[in-house]
Amino acid sequence: MKNDMPRSERILMMLIIIFFAVPLPLTFLAHVGPLKKSLRMGHLKGILPQTDYTPFSWSAVFNAKYQASVGRFFDNEFFGRPGLIELTDELYFRLFKISPMKSTLAVVGKKETLFEDLYWNEYVLNRVRKEQLLPLIINLKQMQELYRSRGKGFVVVITPSKASVYPELLPAGWERRYDPRPRGYDQFLPLLREQGIHYVDGHAIATTARDSSDVPVFPKGGIHWGAYTAFLTANAVIAELQSQGKPLQLLHYTNYRVLNTPPEQDADILQLLNLMFPWHYPVVDFDIKPVPVTGHRPNMVIVGGSFIWRMTDFLNDSRQFSEIDCFYYYKVRKKSFYDGKSRIISEPVQSVDFDREIFAADNLVLEINESFISNIPNHLDKFTTDALQHAATSPNPSPAPAYLYENTQPAQ
């Protein structure tokens, strides 16, 4: 007696066959010249596939390099892979409030607010003894005295941590791990005040703005501060330099905009989650009004981490600086800003001409995020140590002209 498969099972089997069989020829077709654009699907953020494919040869077959290359090809280029990953990420996020993308180091806080885990680790766990901060404080004091003796501006900027600005969004389960001992930030401020070091407290600026304004100080899906917070801090830097007698003017903005679809810089961690459906949340954007300047325009050097970029954009857009040179984590990258333009000068920074690139600058801004104060040593430890060692061996540098990026070749 013939045992026919039920119709529903036949349909299910056909769907399974189609699901697994159809992508195979489409994977090959997606790499045929005329069909590449129409069949290639999406681009995953933060994922850099290995593309060192081995061409076919008998020797490559016998040593298995070709087979391994074919395996990498299908891993990276299998038709529909971006969509399947995005669907998987979306399901994990919606069902479990986590991301399977381990490379993102993302933590989902309350109200589905995204954080990078290092900021919660610092806020909850990482602690440092007060005496561990003293060498950096001494270096900062000496750098300030060195700049003051040469008639130049100097300020330390502490940028805010999203975790410490929104502690009420602490993810469930983290509260019981909180270490009640003082954080590095809480010990750093009194030391700066005791030594009379000029500083701007971006954490205080962010928390005040959070409580007094309906403008988000950190975007829901971003790691870094929003435009409004960076703007307020940039003006606080200018005000501090003004108090030192520097001829600078405060920033003013035009074309204030509230956006419900965040641009990339306000969704940097959200993009790394590679979710299937877009998010919508409010962020602000505006344009900086150029400052009318007659005569000499001062320049500025900024040494700091990833929070410096938005603040530098605003300072540069004011057009009151002849040039702003940024040393990203001191030696990772040097980027110069000039009249609304910018260019990477070197990556990484192999060496620094301290006389021309640092001490010839009219103003020096040293930035550290409050979450990195507990990281001993950090980029400011290394930078100030090197700068002071150079100054000790060259106490009376020749009046060499300040570094100008248009006189250099861009990084290759």
Side-chain angles (χ1 to χ4, degrees), residues 298-324:
N299 67 336
M300 175 181 282
V301 169
I302 302 176
V303 181
S306 56
F307 277 73
I308 64 176
W309 301 123
R310 201 160 202 173
M311 183 175 65
T312 303
D313 280 333
F314 290 156
L315 294 170
N316 183 45
D317 289 343
S318 74
R319 304 297 176 90
Q320 61 182 312
F321 294 96
S322 60
E323 183 169 327
I324 304 176

Side-chain angles (χ1 to χ4, degrees), residues 30-50:
H31 293 80
V32 175
L35 299 176
K36 281 185 178 181
K37 184 174 290 187
S38 59
L39 289 180
R40 296 300 288 271
M41 295 181 61
H43 175 69
L44 297 171
K45 299 289 185 178
I47 297 178
L48 299 177
Q50 292 181 317

Side-chain angles (χ1 to χ4, degrees), residues 70-310:
V70 171
R72 286 196 303 273
F73 172 83
F74 279 99
D75 285 344
N76 296 330
E77 307 291 347
F78 195 75
F79 184 82
R81 174 176 179 264
L84 291 173
I85 290 177
E86 290 172 351
L87 176 60
T88 302
D89 290 354
E90 189 77 40
L91 290 173
Y92 267 79
F93 182 81
R94 296 302 173 190
L95 294 176
F96 309 111
K97 303 303 179 189
I98 61 173
S99 169
M101 305 293 291
K102 299 302 182 184
S103 61
T104 67
L105 302 178
V107 173
V108 183
K110 296 175 182 176
K111 300 182 181 179
E112 293 189 346
T113 304
L114 301 181
F115 298 85
E116 192 174 9
D117 69 344
L118 67 88
Y119 295 98
W120 280 125
N121 282 327
E122 185 279 330
Y123 182 77
V124 173
L125 299 172
N126 295 351
R127 299 295 181 260
V128 64
R129 299 190 309 275
K130 186 176 182 179
E131 55 267 26
Q132 291 178 273
L133 301 175
L134 291 177
L136 176 57
I137 291 293
I138 293 171
N139 279 3
L140 294 175
K141 176 69 172 181
Q142 292 178 354
M143 287 291 293
Q144 177 172 284
E145 292 303 318
L146 187 60
Y147 265 71
R148 179 183 293 170
S149 69
R150 302 181 183 192
K152 298 175 182 295
F154 176 90
V155 60
V156 175
V157 180
I158 303 170
T159 49
S161 159
K162 188 177 182 180
S164 69
V165 173
Y166 291 104
E168 68 277 9
L169 300 179
L170 187 68
W174 286 61
E175 295 93 335
R176 63 180 179 272
R177 303 168 61 196
Y178 185 83
D179 189 332
R181 292 178 298 170
R183 297 171 55 228
Y185 163 81
D186 296 320
Q187 301 183 80
F188 197 57
L189 289 184
L191 292 173
L192 291 173
R193 288 193 290 265
E194 289 171 10
Q195 295 299 319
I197 297 172
H198 298 292
Y199 74 93
V200 167
D201 185 358
H203 170 88
I205 292 171
T207 53
T208 299
R210 179 201 65 189
D211 297 335
S212 61
S213 173
D214 57 357
V215 174
V217 296
F218 275 87
K220 184 176 182 178
I223 299 170
H224 301 99
W225 52 6
Y228 185 60
T229 323
F231 170 81
L232 294 175
T233 306
N235 260 346
V237 170
I238 291 179
E240 178 58 46
L241 292 172
Q242 285 178 331
S243 72
Q244 300 173 34
K246 305 309 166 191
L248 301 174
Q249 300 182 47
L250 294 177
L251 307 182
H252 298 277
Y253 58 78
T254 61
N255 301 324
Y256 181 89
R257 301 175 292 276
V258 177
L259 309 175
N260 199 41
T261 299
E264 286 190 7
Q265 60 187 340
D266 289 314
D268 43 12
I269 196 167
L270 171 62
Q271 292 185 61
L272 294 177
L273 296 187
N274 287 298
L275 301 178
M276 175 161 283
F277 302 110
W279 278 22
H280 299 284
Y281 50 84
V283 296
V284 298
D285 192 23
F286 42 73
D287 301 317
I288 298 297
K289 184 178 180 181
V291 171
V293 178
T294 58
H296 171 73
R297 291 190 301 164
N299 67 336
M300 175 181 282
V301 169
I302 302 176
V303 181
S306 56
F307 277 73
I308 64 176
W309 301 123
R310 201 160 202 173

